[in-house]
Structure formats: structure tokens, C-alpha cells
Amino acid sequence: MADRGTLTRRGLLVGIGAAGGAGAMYAAMGALGLAPSEQDKTFTPPRQGDFTLKGRGAAKVVILGAGVAGLTVAYELGKAGYDCTLLEASDRIGGRNLTLRGGDRLTELNGAAQDARFGEGVYFNAGPGRIAPWMVTMDYCRELGVPIETFVNSNASAYVHTEGRTVRNKTARADMYGYVAELLAKATHHRALDRRLTGEDRERLLEFLRRFGDLGPKLTYEGSERRGFTRYPGMDGGTALTSPAGLHEVLAAGVGRAITNDFGYDQATPMFQPVGGMDAIVTRLVEAVGRDRVRTGARVTKITDQAGSVTVTWEGGELTADYCVTTLPPHILAKIPHNLGALVTAALRTPVPVAAGKIGLEYGRRWWELEDRIYGGVTETDLDITHIWYPSYGYHSERGLLVGYYNSGEPAELYGALTPEDRRRRALTQGKKIHGEKYRAELLSSVSIAWERQPHLQGGWVRWPAFDSSFTLLQRPSGRVYFAGDWLTHLVAWQAGAMESARSTVTQLHRRVTASA
Ligand code: PHE
């Protein structure tokens, strides 16, 4: 018993619970570090009213890049009436948020143009494809009215293909968990862990391991219905998959990476996607910002920071504003003449661009649903295609589109260097190892993207060798020039990174403007 008179945590919570109900109690538990509270970051968007008492208008801001970061900056500043202009080098708005549909054309640096021939309702998210529930991207979807649906990131019926063999994800999990549980249970039972475990611990751990591995009475993994069936139960008990291979073979299959992906805090189920394509986020942001504020085909050639203004020059024009926010990829920005100093240039050269690629494979028949019973999710492989994504939309419709590879780094460079035809050929050869001849024979059309070959981007994302002083330097303005983008956050390669960075920039800029007004 705690001392009377001492305010114990439990006593406090009981009091709060009685006064404020369970919700208040959980919030208080979060504050005490007991129940996890996932969102305590606050962002206050600029408001029109922030200027009304100051007798001064909002500032004029030129934003470089009309991707998710640039658009979010313009959207948030727009709430307070800032006069924003976005300069976009490409003739398309959205940056890496790219959804391809039938009729779209994709061009690459020194490459052939590809025409998407997908049927009605079929789309290919060539850039971002999934959103975790804790990400700020979800808040923007809600605020902008972008409808979302579940993205199946993990599917027990999808496959794991390693060392030349294909098994269902559920089978790989059952066997790995089974054997791991058996080994640990036996070591526990034989008192090998007594230095760490009390007698009670031992019993509790064994109880857990029996469940975790579906172990037999002798703490042995003998296979499990969790592995799946060749014929599922119905009027009779069906036909369960036969017993697992031995421990040695199961370990040799090397399924570790494949079966732990959804353990990641950013990959855990459920994840989400906008209905109808990821670019709904861009569409709604542009509507909110105003299409007339975005100038496309404007490749920036010079940035000059002056005492009281910034001048941005592009091919065909020049614009002077109070502030500039540049969201260009650091390796692109580093090559544009500016007067921000050598430290800034050096910092911009620190993050290393990483190649990333995807191929969309369209089929006239959703054989993965009809024959494999795979509805969404990902097959993990140790091949150079890395993953196969099955669509999390349009179930049971006629056509459908798989992502036949999604890779980064070396394998992405390998595919990116091929012609679109050779990329497709290679992807089909790999996928055939898992799905058989139909994978090649039934293909209708395909489009592939190599982000390192996309003009004005030249990379899928960046890798920071370390989140060092270059990283923190660029999180602050250089004179009147601010930097933003996913590359300036710990959420590199997520739209949420672009949005968090945009919010940080908007907060800093607005504070400065309102303080100086
Ligand atoms: N956001 C991308 C994805 O989900 C890339 C990424 C993967 C980034 C894993 C971080 C971790 O595929």
C-alpha cells in the first residue's frame, strides 16, 4: 500500500477516471507514459486573423517545386492569405506523387517515351502507394476530402519466394515461428535460461511459446494448420499442408526479411491509400491552392538572396518575393547557381540520391484472385524484383494491375538502365518463377518507371550518411530562403516527410513574418 497522503499514480488516475471518464483517464495515462499516445505533435496553421491587427498584408512567397512539399507549403500559407507562386520545372504537377492511367505518357531522361494503355478504372501508383495511420498524410486526406481505403500491405496468402522456392506467407511464418518457439521452449524447459528466468517466468514463457509456435505437447513443432491447406475445410476437414521441412531447411530458406516487414512501425497493418489513385492528394491540394498559382515548365536557373527580398530566375522569367521556399531535391538544387554560400552547397551535396523503380503489369484477368486467392498484399522475394504488389482495389473486376517490381538501390539501377521492353521481359522472367507461365502469357500492357531517370528529380529518394550538421543546417533558413522536402526529415521517402517539413517551414516563416510586421 502506498502511503496515505502521497498522491500515487494509480490514485490520480482513479480520480481522473471518476471525474472525466475513460477518455480523460487514457489521456492522463499517456501523459504519465503509461498508455501510448501516438499524436502529441501540434501544428497551428497560419490564419487570416494573424495579420488583421498588424495593418500589414501577408508576405509574397515564391515556392520552388510543386510536389507534395511545395503544395503543402502553399496550402498552409494560403490559409493566412500569403501571396504564393509555385515554380515547377516539369509540365506536370505533383513531383513523385504520380498515378498513371490509360492515355498517360511517361518520358525519361535519354529514354523512350512509354504510353500507358491501361483499361478503364485501372491505375498505377508509380510513386508513393501506402500511408501509415499515424502519418500526417492521413490528416491531409481528411482535411482535403480525399477518400481513403485500406491498403493491404501484409497478406498471409501472398507468397514468399527465397532460394528458388515459393511458399505462402502463412506457411513461412508458421514454420519459422514454430521452430523458434520450439528451440526457446526446449531451452527454457531444460533450465538453460534459469539465470534470466524465475520459476514463474518459465511457466509464463512456455505458455506463450506454445501459442506462438503452435507447439505439440512435448514442446515440439510438428507443423500446424496455420501453414494452410491444399483444400480448405468445408463439409469435411479439408487437406492440410503436409508437415514442414526440417529445421535446417527452414532456416536455409532465409525468410527472415520477408516475414518481418510488417513488424515495422511504418509498415504495420492496416495501411491506407486514396480511393482511385494517390494523385487525389495532389489534385485536392492544387484545387485548394489555386491552379493559377502554379507555373509549370519553369526551370529555375538562379536564386539570389538580397537584403530585403529574394529573386528567382527561371528560363523565361524572373520573380522577386519576400521569401523563397525551395523544395527541390538537394542534388538538383546544389547545381543551381545561388548566393547562399559554400556551406549550404556542401550541405546540399551531403545526402546521396537513391535509385528506385516500379513496373505496372496489367492483366485482362485477375488470376491472382481467381486462382491464387490473393486479394491485395505483397509477395516478398530475394530476386531483383524484390516485391510483387497485388492491387488493393477493384477486387473481382475484369482487369487488374500488379506492381511487378518495386526495388531501390542496385537492382533499381540495373532495371533503370534497361529499355522499357527489357525491363518488362526481365520482370516477367522473374515473376514467372513464382506464378508460372500465365504471368507472361496473359499480360496486356505495362509501364515502368526509373525515378533516377525522371527529369528534375533524378532519384527515388535520398540517403543521409548521417543526420549530421548538414541536415540541421538546412532545416533552418539561409537568409530569406527556406528549404523543405521529405529529404529534410526522418521520414525520407514518405509524403508525410514532405508534409512535416512543409509544416516546419511554414511555422518558422510565419513566426518571422508576424514578428516583423
Ligand atoms: N515509403 C516507401 C515505401 O513504403 C519507401 C520506404 C520503405 C521508406 C521503407 C522507408 C522504409 O515503400
Side-chain angles (χ1 to χ4, degrees), residues 338-346 478:
H338 63 74
N339 67 342
L340 306 176
L343 264 180
V344 165
T345 303
S478 170

Side-chain angles (χ1 to χ4, degrees), residues 128-130 135 261 266-267 271 358 389 406 461 492-495:
R130 51 187 165 194
M135 290 178 169
N261 180 63
D266 55 351
Q267 298 288 334
M271 294 186 83
K358 277 188 179 179
W389 284 18
Y406 166 33
W461 50 80
V492 171
W494 293 102
Q495 295 179 99

Side-chain angles (χ1 to χ4, degrees), residues 94 182 291 428 467:
E182 174 185 329
R291 177 61 184 83
L428 292 176
F467 291 106

Side-chain angles (χ1 to χ4, degrees), residues 420-439:
E421 296 71 41
D422 284 343
R423 290 177 194 163
R424 177 177 59 228
R425 212 167 290 138
R426 191 174 178 113
L428 292 176
T429 301
Q430 302 292 52
K432 227 186 76 168
K433 295 175 185 168
I434 297 160
H435 285 293
E437 184 52 38
K438 66 192 170 203
Y439 200 82

Side-chain angles (χ1 to χ4, degrees), residues 50 67 94 101 149 176 226 252 310 320 363 383 428 490 507-508:
D50 298 344
R101 300 180 180 80
E149 63 193 358
M176 263 320 272
R226 292 176 184 176
V310 190
T320 297
Y363 292 88
L383 307 171
L428 292 176
H490 290 266
T507 301
Q508 294 180 61

